[in-house]
Amino acid sequence: MFVPQGVYLISVYGPEKRAIESSQTESTIIGPHDAFNESLDTNLSIIRRRVKSSRLKAKQFEVGEIFKTKVSLLYLDEIANMDFVNRMSERIQSIEYSGVFDGSMLLQLIEDFPSTIFPLFLTSERPDVAISKLNEGRVVVIMDQSPSVIVGPTTVFEFFTSPDDYYSRWAVGTFLRLLRYIAFVLTLTLTSFYVAITTYHYEMIPQDLLASMSESRSRVPFPPVLEALLMETTLELLREAGARLPSKIGQTIGIVGGIVIGTAAVDAGFTSNILIIAVAMSAIASFVIPSYTMSGSIRLIRFALIILSGMLGNFGFIFGLGLVIIHLSKLTSLGAPYTLPLAPIKPSDWKDTFFRGPFWMFSKRPKQSRTPNEITNKMKK
């Protein structure tokens, strides 16, 4: 740029980037439909457009020894707990890795318990989710080349919430949230419970159902545990094949493959029709869970529970569930309890955990955020 006072060299470099589109993994019916993309500058501008406040602060970092990638840590001043901000900053700065190419890789390098199968940080492609978490006093990490942001600290119950809960009427949002918890119980326990009762505890089956179940299993040459593992593995193969193929072909493979294989397996005496129903219900229930990462963790636990139920019956089933609960109880996210507000018990936060209360009830921020400013507004009932 030539001006009377001199000549200035200005960088106008602007790499190609994907346009702002709707989220492919967190689709909603009501509410905004824009989503983050792989550009850090674009994602920051999306958040700044929504948060018109001087409280919004950003710390800049670079991760990767060879492939250096920009990372921004966002928080609201005087609302976020600075212990969480400093702890997240230290973990990002301590990363020693040749290259970090996505936020999903980054969060695995900064988790409290890297060996756990449960996600300890919430990831989202939706700007409205990131803004709501900032307002609650949490920290948000945006990474260049990644379309998802990282939110911490988080609880296990946040993986069962959806933006639709807040955009719908509170009664509808509560119903949908309770439905997800029911789906979680079904997808985790239904198949393993079937294995336990058909292997060791036939006395638990009602007499009206016992005759049809015995007839259905009379042609099956495998024990229930092997039968269930084979069907669950087949379902996972269909799920993976449908995800890797083009969308239209993948949907066809999933539907046609499931119907053809299920019908042929029952006709050939390879499996019982009741197990097909149990496996199908477990699969449908797993799709209700909004978080893909949490759904994958639950599927792994389901395989372990099936094996324990086949070995020890109801004792193995209850023992496996106890191990899961104990493991969840010791997990933390940025040092905050992962099972809050259930353990430790914080009844004041239940209004936005197991239920979706009316907005006039949200006068205080969640206890897990440990915010120095608990009051969110001055609205009265």
Side-chain angles (χ1 to χ4, degrees), residues 5-266:
Q5 293 79 12
V7 180
Y8 297 90
L9 182 63
I10 302 173
S11 175
V12 293
Y13 171 69
E16 292 294 328
K17 56 188 177 183
R18 183 168 59 93
I20 298 176
E21 302 172 350
S22 299
S23 174
Q24 300 297 318
T25 59
E26 299 175 78
S27 59
T28 58
I29 301 174
I30 309 174
H33 292 275
D34 57 338
F36 294 121
N37 62 14
E38 290 77 12
S39 172
L40 175 64
D41 295 333
T42 301
N43 296 340
L44 285 174
S45 66
I46 291 175
I47 291 182
R48 287 196 179 103
R49 188 174 60 188
R50 284 174 163 83
V51 185
K52 299 179 176 65
S53 172
S54 59
R55 293 181 183 273
L56 180 63
K57 307 296 180 183
K59 288 188 173 184
Q60 307 296 330
F61 305 94
E62 278 191 348
V63 296
E65 300 296 326
I66 300 177
F67 305 96
K68 297 186 180 298
T69 307
K70 295 180 179 180
V71 175
S72 291
L73 172 61
L74 306 182
Y75 64 96
L76 294 180
D77 191 27
E78 298 181 0
I79 294 179
N81 190 308
M82 292 308 297
D83 290 339
F84 293 144
V85 176
N86 296 332
R87 189 171 298 180
M88 182 69 84
S89 301
E90 292 172 359
R91 293 185 184 183
I92 294 175
Q93 290 176 317
S94 63
I95 293 176
E96 296 181 357
Y97 206 72
S98 59
V100 183
F101 308 113
D102 187 75
S104 300
M105 292 180 61
L106 178 66
L107 65 87
Q108 296 179 59
L109 296 170
I110 60 177
E111 288 180 330
D112 299 29
F113 297 86
S115 58
T116 183
I117 65 172
F118 290 99
L120 298 182
F121 289 103
L122 182 69
T123 58
S124 178
E125 295 182 358
R126 296 182 58 87
D128 54 338
V129 174
I131 300 305
S132 66
K133 299 306 178 183
L134 285 172
N135 183 53
E136 291 177 357
R138 309 180 196 273
V139 297
V140 174
V141 177
I142 304 178
M143 182 178 177
D144 197 19
Q145 305 174 16
S146 175
S148 300
V149 300
I150 302 171
V151 179
T154 189
T155 68
V156 65
F157 303 105
E158 291 187 52
F159 294 94
F160 298 93
T161 63
S162 170
D164 279 333
D165 298 350
Y166 302 98
Y167 300 136
S168 304
R169 303 292 298 177
W170 68 270
V172 177
T174 299
F175 170 75
L176 294 176
R177 190 168 296 183
L178 292 175
L179 193 65
R180 294 190 198 104
Y181 287 120
I182 294 174
F184 163 69
V185 175
L186 287 177
T187 189
L188 186 64
T189 63
L190 189 58
T191 308
S192 54
F193 185 65
Y194 167 87
V195 171
I197 63 174
T198 54
T199 305
Y200 298 100
H201 310 286
Y202 267 102
E203 68 277 2
M204 296 180 62
I205 304 174
Q207 291 186 355
D208 297 337
L209 183 62
L210 183 59
S212 61
M213 183 176 289
S214 300
E215 181 183 357
S216 175
R217 283 204 44 79
S218 61
R219 299 176 55 198
V220 179
F222 309 111
V225 60
L226 182 58
E227 177 190 7
L229 289 175
L230 288 174
M231 294 309 302
E232 288 285 354
T233 303
T234 303
L235 177 65
E236 293 299 324
L237 290 174
L238 287 172
R239 190 199 304 263
E240 189 67 14
R244 301 305 169 193
L245 291 172
S247 58
K248 295 182 179 179
I249 302 177
Q251 294 175 2
T252 305
I253 289 292
I255 297 173
V256 176
I259 295 174
V260 171
I261 292 176
T263 304
V266 173

